[in-house]
Amino acid sequence: MTAPGGWDTGPMTDSVILDVWCELQCPDCHRALDDVRALRARFGDRLDIRLRHFPLEKHKHAFAAAQAAEEAAEQGQAWPYVEAVLARTAELGERGEAVLLDVARELGLDAEEFDTALIDGRHILIVDADQAEGKAIGVTGTPTYVIDGERLDGGKSQEGLRARIEEIADRLLSADGA
């Protein structure tokens, strides 16, 4: 099943949803990727990990990066694109949107379409909606995780967060018999 914005959400039955409020110029989000990968490896399709955009004002290229991630989703490479951009947060800060286009090319995506999408703003509403929802539930920084209504702030420290997410997911999956 595909969520708004083209993110593959996996099967919608018998899975637990983990929203990851992220911004692609955030070094903390880059460090959190190891936890996201470990959660994917442990739970597979039983944990539906959804990237939610929360660009921070202090990172001037984060909003464009969020839009570019949505274009990557449209082109079928959402998570590979996100991971590749997060691996280059410092370079994104220095070189700006050129990095977003470079990553698209490196992944074999249509970089011209990325450039057009950034100019015409076709994905702005998705990014704005994510950010508004994040603010409404109390997200103030990134990464922030939400699972079963519990908000876990990873912006200060990732310490213990993966274990807490695993504990909640295990409880929910055992309760559902999944």
Side-chain angles (χ1 to χ4, degrees), residues 4-50:
W7 294 89
D8 180 20
T9 62
M12 293 307 287
T13 58
D14 298 331
S15 66
V16 172
I17 295 171
L18 172 66
D19 284 328
V20 180
W21 299 87
C22 179
E23 78 114 86
L24 300 184
Q25 198 177 338
C26 171
D28 292 329
C29 291
H30 175 240
R31 286 188 286 280
L33 269 180
D34 287 339
D35 286 337
V36 171
R37 288 182 189 119
L39 290 166
R40 264 199 216 124
R42 176 166 179 209
F43 292 102
D45 287 344
R46 297 176 308 143
L47 184 64
D48 179 6
I49 300 173
R50 301 187 309 186

mmCIF file of all heavy atoms in Angstrom, residues 4-50:
data_model
loop_
_atom_site.group_PDB
_atom_site.id
_atom_site.type_symbol
_atom_site.label_atom_id
_atom_site.label_comp_id
_atom_site.label_asym_id
_atom_site.label_seq_id
_atom_site.Cartn_x
_atom_site.Cartn_y
_atom_site.Cartn_z
ATOM 1 N N PRO A 4 0.096 8.686 1.269
ATOM 2 C CA PRO A 4 0.243 9.958 0.571
ATOM 3 C C PRO A 4 1.718 10.315 0.478
ATOM 4 O O PRO A 4 2.462 10.126 1.422
ATOM 5 C CB PRO A 4 -0.519 10.942 1.469
ATOM 6 C CG PRO A 4 -1.486 10.091 2.222
ATOM 7 C CD PRO A 4 -0.798 8.763 2.405
ATOM 8 N N GLY A 5 2.121 10.785 -0.658
ATOM 9 C CA GLY A 5 3.519 11.128 -0.848
ATOM 10 C C GLY A 5 4.333 9.987 -1.412
ATOM 11 O O GLY A 5 5.518 10.116 -1.620
ATOM 12 N N GLY A 6 3.696 8.837 -1.670
ATOM 13 C CA GLY A 6 4.366 7.743 -2.337
ATOM 14 C C GLY A 6 5.208 6.848 -1.463
ATOM 15 O O GLY A 6 5.888 5.973 -1.959
ATOM 16 N N TRP A 7 5.184 7.013 -0.161
ATOM 17 C CA TRP A 7 5.999 6.174 0.717
ATOM 18 C C TRP A 7 5.353 4.821 0.829
ATOM 19 O O TRP A 7 4.186 4.684 1.153
ATOM 20 C CB TRP A 7 6.137 6.820 2.094
ATOM 21 C CG TRP A 7 6.917 8.069 2.011
ATOM 22 C CD1 TRP A 7 6.425 9.314 1.784
ATOM 23 C CD2 TRP A 7 8.331 8.206 2.071
ATOM 24 N NE1 TRP A 7 7.447 10.211 1.717
ATOM 25 C CE2 TRP A 7 8.629 9.564 1.896
ATOM 26 C CE3 TRP A 7 9.367 7.320 2.269
ATOM 27 C CZ2 TRP A 7 9.920 10.052 1.903
ATOM 28 C CZ3 TRP A 7 10.654 7.807 2.287
ATOM 29 C CH2 TRP A 7 10.926 9.155 2.107
ATOM 30 N N ASP A 8 6.117 3.780 0.567
ATOM 31 C CA ASP A 8 5.626 2.427 0.697
ATOM 32 C C ASP A 8 5.475 2.145 2.180
ATOM 33 O O ASP A 8 6.432 2.210 2.929
ATOM 34 C CB ASP A 8 6.606 1.449 0.056
ATOM 35 C CG ASP A 8 6.128 0.018 0.161
ATOM 36 O OD1 ASP A 8 4.927 -0.194 0.370
ATOM 37 O OD2 ASP A 8 6.963 -0.882 0.043
ATOM 38 N N THR A 9 4.283 1.830 2.590
ATOM 39 C CA THR A 9 4.032 1.613 4.016
ATOM 40 C C THR A 9 3.945 0.147 4.374
ATOM 41 O O THR A 9 3.705 -0.179 5.521
ATOM 42 C CB THR A 9 2.727 2.314 4.454
ATOM 43 O OG1 THR A 9 1.642 1.730 3.732
ATOM 44 C CG2 THR A 9 2.782 3.795 4.216
ATOM 45 N N GLY A 10 4.120 -0.734 3.413
ATOM 46 C CA GLY A 10 4.021 -2.147 3.714
ATOM 47 C C GLY A 10 2.574 -2.545 3.931
ATOM 48 O O GLY A 10 1.659 -1.760 3.711
ATOM 49 N N PRO A 11 2.360 -3.749 4.391
ATOM 50 C CA PRO A 11 0.993 -4.204 4.613
ATOM 51 C C PRO A 11 0.360 -3.433 5.763
ATOM 52 O O PRO A 11 1.002 -3.156 6.757
ATOM 53 C CB PRO A 11 1.156 -5.684 4.957
ATOM 54 C CG PRO A 11 2.568 -5.850 5.379
ATOM 55 C CD PRO A 11 3.356 -4.758 4.719
ATOM 56 N N MET A 12 -0.883 -3.058 5.607
ATOM 57 C CA MET A 12 -1.548 -2.243 6.617
ATOM 58 C C MET A 12 -2.198 -3.090 7.713
ATOM 59 O O MET A 12 -2.624 -2.565 8.716
ATOM 60 C CB MET A 12 -2.595 -1.332 5.975
ATOM 61 C CG MET A 12 -1.974 -0.260 5.084
ATOM 62 S SD MET A 12 -0.701 0.724 5.894
ATOM 63 C CE MET A 12 -1.711 1.722 6.958
ATOM 64 N N THR A 13 -2.305 -4.395 7.521
ATOM 65 C CA THR A 13 -2.857 -5.241 8.567
ATOM 66 C C THR A 13 -1.713 -5.910 9.311
ATOM 67 O O THR A 13 -0.660 -6.190 8.743
ATOM 68 C CB THR A 13 -3.780 -6.309 7.959
ATOM 69 O OG1 THR A 13 -3.022 -7.072 7.021
ATOM 70 C CG2 THR A 13 -4.968 -5.675 7.258
ATOM 71 N N ASP A 14 -1.929 -6.160 10.573
ATOM 72 C CA ASP A 14 -0.957 -6.867 11.404
ATOM 73 C C ASP A 14 0.406 -6.183 11.457
ATOM 74 O O ASP A 14 1.427 -6.836 11.625
ATOM 75 C CB ASP A 14 -0.777 -8.313 10.931
ATOM 76 C CG ASP A 14 -2.058 -9.109 11.045
ATOM 77 O OD1 ASP A 14 -2.871 -8.781 11.931
ATOM 78 O OD2 ASP A 14 -2.246 -10.038 10.248
ATOM 79 N N SER A 15 0.447 -4.884 11.280
ATOM 80 C CA SER A 15 1.716 -4.173 11.431
ATOM 81 C C SER A 15 1.526 -3.034 12.419
ATOM 82 O O SER A 15 0.436 -2.538 12.626
ATOM 83 C CB SER A 15 2.232 -3.648 10.082
ATOM 84 O OG SER A 15 1.382 -2.660 9.559
ATOM 85 N N VAL A 16 2.640 -2.670 13.016
ATOM 86 C CA VAL A 16 2.676 -1.560 13.962
ATOM 87 C C VAL A 16 3.284 -0.377 13.223
ATOM 88 O O VAL A 16 4.251 -0.528 12.477
ATOM 89 C CB VAL A 16 3.535 -1.942 15.189
ATOM 90 C CG1 VAL A 16 3.754 -0.756 16.100
ATOM 91 C CG2 VAL A 16 2.890 -3.098 15.943
ATOM 92 N N ILE A 17 2.735 0.803 13.432
ATOM 93 C CA ILE A 17 3.223 2.001 12.749
ATOM 94 C C ILE A 17 4.203 2.742 13.647
ATOM 95 O O ILE A 17 3.916 3.014 14.812
ATOM 96 C CB ILE A 17 2.063 2.928 12.363
ATOM 97 C CG1 ILE A 17 1.170 2.238 11.329
ATOM 98 C CG2 ILE A 17 2.583 4.258 11.824
ATOM 99 C CD1 ILE A 17 -0.118 2.982 11.040
ATOM 100 N N LEU A 18 5.354 3.044 13.075
ATOM 101 C CA LEU A 18 6.353 3.887 13.728
ATOM 102 C C LEU A 18 6.567 5.092 12.825
ATOM 103 O O LEU A 18 7.069 4.964 11.712
ATOM 104 C CB LEU A 18 7.675 3.144 13.917
ATOM 105 C CG LEU A 18 8.852 4.006 14.411
ATOM 106 C CD1 LEU A 18 8.591 4.511 15.837
ATOM 107 C CD2 LEU A 18 10.150 3.218 14.345
ATOM 108 N N ASP A 19 6.147 6.258 13.294
ATOM 109 C CA ASP A 19 6.410 7.494 12.570
ATOM 110 C C ASP A 19 7.751 8.038 13.032
ATOM 111 O O ASP A 19 8.004 8.135 14.233
ATOM 112 C CB ASP A 19 5.322 8.546 12.831
ATOM 113 C CG ASP A 19 4.036 8.256 12.064
ATOM 114 O OD1 ASP A 19 4.118 7.702 10.957
ATOM 115 O OD2 ASP A 19 2.961 8.596 12.580
ATOM 116 N N VAL A 20 8.613 8.346 12.071
ATOM 117 C CA VAL A 20 9.929 8.910 12.362
ATOM 118 C C VAL A 20 9.931 10.335 11.822
ATOM 119 O O VAL A 20 9.964 10.557 10.621
ATOM 120 C CB VAL A 20 11.062 8.090 11.704
ATOM 121 C CG1 VAL A 20 12.414 8.701 12.034
ATOM 122 C CG2 VAL A 20 11.004 6.634 12.143
ATOM 123 N N TRP A 21 9.852 11.306 12.729
ATOM 124 C CA TRP A 21 9.887 12.715 12.359
ATOM 125 C C TRP A 21 11.345 13.067 12.161
ATOM 126 O O TRP A 21 12.152 12.970 13.081
ATOM 127 C CB TRP A 21 9.229 13.570 13.438
ATOM 128 C CG TRP A 21 7.794 13.179 13.609
ATOM 129 C CD1 TRP A 21 7.297 12.206 14.418
ATOM 130 C CD2 TRP A 21 6.678 13.697 12.889
ATOM 131 N NE1 TRP A 21 5.945 12.107 14.253
ATOM 132 C CE2 TRP A 21 5.532 13.011 13.334
ATOM 133 C CE3 TRP A 21 6.543 14.687 11.924
ATOM 134 C CZ2 TRP A 21 4.262 13.286 12.836
ATOM 135 C CZ3 TRP A 21 5.279 14.963 11.438
ATOM 136 C CH2 TRP A 21 4.163 14.264 11.892
ATOM 137 N N CYS A 22 11.682 13.456 10.950
ATOM 138 C CA CYS A 22 13.071 13.554 10.534
ATOM 139 C C CYS A 22 13.279 14.796 9.692
ATOM 140 O O CYS A 22 12.336 15.320 9.100
ATOM 141 C CB CYS A 22 13.373 12.294 9.704
ATOM 142 S SG CYS A 22 15.027 12.175 9.030
ATOM 143 N N GLU A 23 14.510 15.240 9.640
ATOM 144 C CA GLU A 23 14.883 16.261 8.663
ATOM 145 C C GLU A 23 16.232 15.887 8.089
ATOM 146 O O GLU A 23 17.092 15.360 8.783
ATOM 147 C CB GLU A 23 14.790 17.662 9.241
ATOM 148 C CG GLU A 23 15.900 18.087 10.118
ATOM 149 C CD GLU A 23 16.700 19.219 9.519
ATOM 150 O OE1 GLU A 23 16.324 20.374 9.709
ATOM 151 O OE2 GLU A 23 17.712 18.930 8.873
ATOM 152 N N LEU A 24 16.367 16.088 6.796
ATOM 153 C CA LEU A 24 17.477 15.488 6.058
ATOM 154 C C LEU A 24 18.784 16.258 6.114
ATOM 155 O O LEU A 24 19.763 15.843 5.508
ATOM 156 C CB LEU A 24 17.056 15.251 4.605
ATOM 157 C CG LEU A 24 15.861 14.319 4.454
ATOM 158 C CD1 LEU A 24 15.573 14.047 2.993
ATOM 159 C CD2 LEU A 24 16.053 13.028 5.207
ATOM 160 N N GLN A 25 18.829 17.337 6.873
ATOM 161 C CA GLN A 25 20.094 18.043 7.089
ATOM 162 C C GLN A 25 20.542 17.879 8.544
ATOM 163 O O GLN A 25 21.494 18.495 8.984
ATOM 164 C CB GLN A 25 19.950 19.526 6.717
ATOM 165 C CG GLN A 25 21.280 20.221 6.500
ATOM 166 C CD GLN A 25 21.122 21.677 6.066
ATOM 167 O OE1 GLN A 25 20.096 22.102 5.550
ATOM 168 N NE2 GLN A 25 22.153 22.463 6.301
ATOM 169 N N CYS A 26 19.886 17.005 9.267
ATOM 170 C CA CYS A 26 20.094 16.835 10.702
ATOM 171 C C CYS A 26 21.111 15.729 10.987
ATOM 172 O O CYS A 26 20.854 14.558 10.676
ATOM 173 C CB CYS A 26 18.755 16.500 11.359
ATOM 174 S SG CYS A 26 18.858 16.011 13.083
ATOM 175 N N PRO A 27 22.250 16.065 11.590
ATOM 176 C CA PRO A 27 23.239 15.034 11.927
ATOM 177 C C PRO A 27 22.693 13.975 12.895
ATOM 178 O O PRO A 27 23.068 12.805 12.805
ATOM 179 C CB PRO A 27 24.385 15.823 12.573
ATOM 180 C CG PRO A 27 24.171 17.238 12.179
ATOM 181 C CD PRO A 27 22.703 17.403 11.921
ATOM 182 N N ASP A 28 21.799 14.357 13.800
ATOM 183 C CA ASP A 28 21.208 13.388 14.719
ATOM 184 C C ASP A 28 20.354 12.366 13.968
ATOM 185 O O ASP A 28 20.327 11.188 14.326
ATOM 186 C CB ASP A 28 20.361 14.081 15.790
ATOM 187 C CG ASP A 28 21.202 14.906 16.756
ATOM 188 O OD1 ASP A 28 22.367 14.535 17.009
ATOM 189 O OD2 ASP A 28 20.691 15.927 17.253
ATOM 190 N N CYS A 29 19.660 12.821 12.928
ATOM 191 C CA CYS A 29 18.863 11.899 12.108
ATOM 192 C C CYS A 29 19.771 10.928 11.364
ATOM 193 O O CYS A 29 19.444 9.751 11.214
ATOM 194 C CB CYS A 29 17.974 12.665 11.135
ATOM 195 S SG CYS A 29 16.642 13.568 11.964
ATOM 196 N N HIS A 30 20.923 11.424 10.932
ATOM 197 C CA HIS A 30 21.892 10.536 10.284
ATOM 198 C C HIS A 30 22.346 9.450 11.260
ATOM 199 O O HIS A 30 22.381 8.265 10.923
ATOM 200 C CB HIS A 30 23.094 11.329 9.760
ATOM 201 C CG HIS A 30 24.165 10.458 9.196
ATOM 202 N ND1 HIS A 30 25.445 10.442 9.694
ATOM 203 C CD2 HIS A 30 24.141 9.546 8.200
ATOM 204 C CE1 HIS A 30 26.153 9.558 9.016
ATOM 205 N NE2 HIS A 30 25.391 9.010 8.110
ATOM 206 N N ARG A 31 22.657 9.835 12.475
ATOM 207 C CA ARG A 31 23.084 8.853 13.480
ATOM 208 C C ARG A 31 21.958 7.868 13.819
ATOM 209 O O ARG A 31 22.213 6.712 14.153
ATOM 210 C CB ARG A 31 23.584 9.556 14.732
ATOM 211 C CG ARG A 31 24.960 10.191 14.546
ATOM 212 C CD ARG A 31 25.533 10.726 15.835
ATOM 213 N NE ARG A 31 24.898 11.946 16.298
ATOM 214 C CZ ARG A 31 25.178 13.165 15.820
ATOM 215 N NH1 ARG A 31 26.068 13.321 14.878
ATOM 216 N NH2 ARG A 31 24.559 14.225 16.296
ATOM 217 N N ALA A 32 20.710 8.315 13.711
ATOM 218 C CA ALA A 32 19.564 7.462 14.034
ATOM 219 C C ALA A 32 19.313 6.389 12.974
ATOM 220 O O ALA A 32 18.582 5.421 13.229
ATOM 221 C CB ALA A 32 18.311 8.323 14.197
ATOM 222 N N LEU A 33 19.923 6.524 11.805
ATOM 223 C CA LEU A 33 19.708 5.548 10.738
ATOM 224 C C LEU A 33 20.073 4.129 11.155
ATOM 225 O O LEU A 33 19.413 3.171 10.730
ATOM 226 C CB LEU A 33 20.525 5.920 9.494
ATOM 227 C CG LEU A 33 19.854 6.803 8.473
ATOM 228 C CD1 LEU A 33 20.796 7.069 7.311
ATOM 229 C CD2 LEU A 33 18.549 6.230 7.991
ATOM 230 N N ASP A 34 21.106 3.972 11.965
ATOM 231 C CA ASP A 34 21.476 2.627 12.416
ATOM 232 C C ASP A 34 20.334 1.980 13.188
ATOM 233 O O ASP A 34 20.058 0.786 13.030
ATOM 234 C CB ASP A 34 22.743 2.664 13.272
ATOM 235 C CG ASP A 34 23.997 2.922 12.457
ATOM 236 O OD1 ASP A 34 23.981 2.694 11.224
ATOM 237 O OD2 ASP A 34 25.005 3.352 13.055
ATOM 238 N N ASP A 35 19.656 2.762 14.020
ATOM 239 C CA ASP A 35 18.517 2.232 14.769
ATOM 240 C C ASP A 35 17.364 1.881 13.834
ATOM 241 O O ASP A 35 16.719 0.843 13.990
ATOM 242 C CB ASP A 35 18.043 3.232 15.828
ATOM 243 C CG ASP A 35 18.981 3.295 17.016
ATOM 244 O OD1 ASP A 35 19.730 2.325 17.255
ATOM 245 O OD2 ASP A 35 18.977 4.327 17.718
ATOM 246 N N VAL A 36 17.097 2.742 12.856
ATOM 247 C CA VAL A 36 16.016 2.476 11.904
ATOM 248 C C VAL A 36 16.318 1.188 11.126
ATOM 249 O O VAL A 36 15.442 0.334 10.952
ATOM 250 C CB VAL A 36 15.804 3.679 10.957
ATOM 251 C CG1 VAL A 36 14.844 3.331 9.820
ATOM 252 C CG2 VAL A 36 15.281 4.884 11.736
ATOM 253 N N ARG A 37 17.553 1.036 10.694
ATOM 254 C CA ARG A 37 17.937 -0.192 9.970
ATOM 255 C C ARG A 37 17.778 -1.426 10.862
ATOM 256 O O ARG A 37 17.307 -2.473 10.412
ATOM 257 C CB ARG A 37 19.376 -0.078 9.483
ATOM 258 C CG ARG A 37 19.542 0.878 8.333
ATOM 259 C CD ARG A 37 21.007 0.899 7.869
ATOM 260 N NE ARG A 37 21.235 1.942 6.916
ATOM 261 C CZ ARG A 37 22.085 2.955 7.088
ATOM 262 N NH1 ARG A 37 22.802 3.059 8.192
ATOM 263 N NH2 ARG A 37 22.221 3.874 6.151
ATOM 264 N N ALA A 38 18.192 -1.310 12.113
ATOM 265 C CA ALA A 38 18.076 -2.440 13.042
ATOM 266 C C ALA A 38 16.606 -2.798 13.279
ATOM 267 O O ALA A 38 16.253 -3.982 13.358
ATOM 268 C CB ALA A 38 18.771 -2.109 14.367
ATOM 269 N N LEU A 39 15.761 -1.797 13.397
ATOM 270 C CA LEU A 39 14.325 -2.050 13.579
ATOM 271 C C LEU A 39 13.736 -2.733 12.347
ATOM 272 O O LEU A 39 12.937 -3.665 12.469
ATOM 273 C CB LEU A 39 13.587 -0.742 13.879
ATOM 274 C CG LEU A 39 13.882 -0.127 15.242
ATOM 275 C CD1 LEU A 39 13.397 1.318 15.305
ATOM 276 C CD2 LEU A 39 13.261 -0.968 16.358
ATOM 277 N N ARG A 40 14.138 -2.269 11.162
ATOM 278 C CA ARG A 40 13.682 -2.905 9.919
ATOM 279 C C ARG A 40 14.116 -4.364 9.871
ATOM 280 O O ARG A 40 13.343 -5.239 9.490
ATOM 281 C CB ARG A 40 14.281 -2.173 8.712
ATOM 282 C CG ARG A 40 13.381 -1.158 8.119
ATOM 283 C CD ARG A 40 13.877 -0.848 6.692
ATOM 284 N NE ARG A 40 13.664 0.553 6.442
ATOM 285 C CZ ARG A 40 14.584 1.424 6.077
ATOM 286 N NH1 ARG A 40 15.826 1.049 5.891
ATOM 287 N NH2 ARG A 40 14.290 2.668 5.868
ATOM 288 N N ALA A 41 15.367 -4.603 10.242
ATOM 289 C CA ALA A 41 15.901 -5.964 10.197
ATOM 290 C C ALA A 41 15.173 -6.876 11.196
ATOM 291 O O ALA A 41 14.865 -8.031 10.887
ATOM 292 C CB ALA A 41 17.399 -5.954 10.497
ATOM 293 N N ARG A 42 14.880 -6.355 12.358
ATOM 294 C CA ARG A 42 14.248 -7.183 13.388
ATOM 295 C C ARG A 42 12.778 -7.456 13.098
ATOM 296 O O ARG A 42 12.298 -8.574 13.263
ATOM 297 C CB ARG A 42 14.369 -6.512 14.751
ATOM 298 C CG ARG A 42 13.633 -7.303 15.806
ATOM 299 C CD ARG A 42 13.949 -6.935 17.200
ATOM 300 N NE ARG A 42 13.120 -7.783 18.065
ATOM 301 C CZ ARG A 42 12.705 -7.443 19.247
ATOM 302 N NH1 ARG A 42 13.089 -6.302 19.761
ATOM 303 N NH2 ARG A 42 11.955 -8.243 19.952
ATOM 304 N N PHE A 43 12.047 -6.428 12.675
ATOM 305 C CA PHE A 43 10.600 -6.566 12.548
ATOM 306 C C PHE A 43 10.109 -6.764 11.122
ATOM 307 O O PHE A 43 8.973 -7.192 10.921
ATOM 308 C CB PHE A 43 9.898 -5.347 13.164
ATOM 309 C CG PHE A 43 10.033 -5.274 14.645
ATOM 310 C CD1 PHE A 43 10.941 -4.403 15.224
ATOM 311 C CD2 PHE A 43 9.263 -6.072 15.472
ATOM 312 C CE1 PHE A 43 11.079 -4.333 16.604
ATOM 313 C CE2 PHE A 43 9.391 -6.006 16.850
ATOM 314 C CZ PHE A 43 10.306 -5.132 17.419
ATOM 315 N N GLY A 44 10.913 -6.432 10.133
ATOM 316 C CA GLY A 44 10.479 -6.574 8.740
ATOM 317 C C GLY A 44 9.184 -5.827 8.480
ATOM 318 O O GLY A 44 9.000 -4.699 8.941
ATOM 319 N N ASP A 45 8.254 -6.479 7.787
ATOM 320 C CA ASP A 45 6.970 -5.859 7.421
ATOM 321 C C ASP A 45 6.018 -5.693 8.600
ATOM 322 O O ASP A 45 4.981 -5.043 8.464
ATOM 323 C CB ASP A 45 6.266 -6.692 6.348
ATOM 324 C CG ASP A 45 6.927 -6.566 4.992
ATOM 325 O OD1 ASP A 45 7.719 -5.617 4.804
ATOM 326 O OD2 ASP A 45 6.655 -7.410 4.124
ATOM 327 N N ARG A 46 6.361 -6.266 9.738
ATOM 328 C CA ARG A 46 5.473 -6.127 10.894
ATOM 329 C C ARG A 46 5.563 -4.737 11.516
ATOM 330 O O ARG A 46 4.703 -4.347 12.295
ATOM 331 C CB ARG A 46 5.789 -7.188 11.941
ATOM 332 C CG ARG A 46 5.540 -8.605 11.420
ATOM 333 C CD ARG A 46 5.933 -9.674 12.418
ATOM 334 N NE ARG A 46 7.291 -9.459 12.880
ATOM 335 C CZ ARG A 46 7.714 -9.677 14.124
ATOM 336 N NH1 ARG A 46 6.899 -10.138 15.036
ATOM 337 N NH2 ARG A 46 8.971 -9.459 14.453
ATOM 338 N N LEU A 47 6.629 -3.990 11.182
ATOM 339 C CA LEU A 47 6.783 -2.618 11.663
ATOM 340 C C LEU A 47 6.790 -1.703 10.443
ATOM 341 O O LEU A 47 7.677 -1.762 9.602
ATOM 342 C CB LEU A 47 8.086 -2.452 12.450
ATOM 343 C CG LEU A 47 8.313 -1.075 13.080
ATOM 344 C CD1 LEU A 47 7.253 -0.783 14.148
ATOM 345 C CD2 LEU A 47 9.703 -0.992 13.689
ATOM 346 N N ASP A 48 5.775 -0.885 10.350
ATOM 347 C CA ASP A 48 5.605 0.038 9.237
ATOM 348 C C ASP A 48 6.306 1.355 9.612
ATOM 349 O O ASP A 48 5.770 2.140 10.380
ATOM 350 C CB ASP A 48 4.109 0.238 8.998
ATOM 351 C CG ASP A 48 3.792 1.195 7.878
ATOM 352 O OD1 ASP A 48 4.719 1.639 7.178
ATOM 353 O OD2 ASP A 48 2.599 1.521 7.719
ATOM 354 N N ILE A 49 7.529 1.552 9.111
ATOM 355 C CA ILE A 49 8.312 2.741 9.442
ATOM 356 C C ILE A 49 8.018 3.808 8.405
ATOM 357 O O ILE A 49 8.282 3.630 7.220
ATOM 358 C CB ILE A 49 9.820 2.412 9.480
ATOM 359 C CG1 ILE A 49 10.093 1.333 10.531
ATOM 360 C CG2 ILE A 49 10.625 3.690 9.776
ATOM 361 C CD1 ILE A 49 11.521 0.824 10.537
ATOM 362 N N ARG A 50 7.437 4.910 8.868
ATOM 363 C CA ARG A 50 7.047 5.998 7.970
ATOM 364 C C ARG A 50 7.865 7.253 8.275
ATOM 365 O O ARG A 50 7.871 7.723 9.410
ATOM 366 C CB ARG A 50 5.560 6.325 8.127
ATOM 367 C CG ARG A 50 4.664 5.143 7.834
ATOM 368 C CD ARG A 50 3.209 5.502 7.827
ATOM 369 N NE ARG A 50 2.819 6.232 9.023
ATOM 370 C CZ ARG A 50 1.566 6.561 9.321
ATOM 371 N NH1 ARG A 50 0.582 6.211 8.537
ATOM 372 N NH2 ARG A 50 1.285 7.231 10.415
#
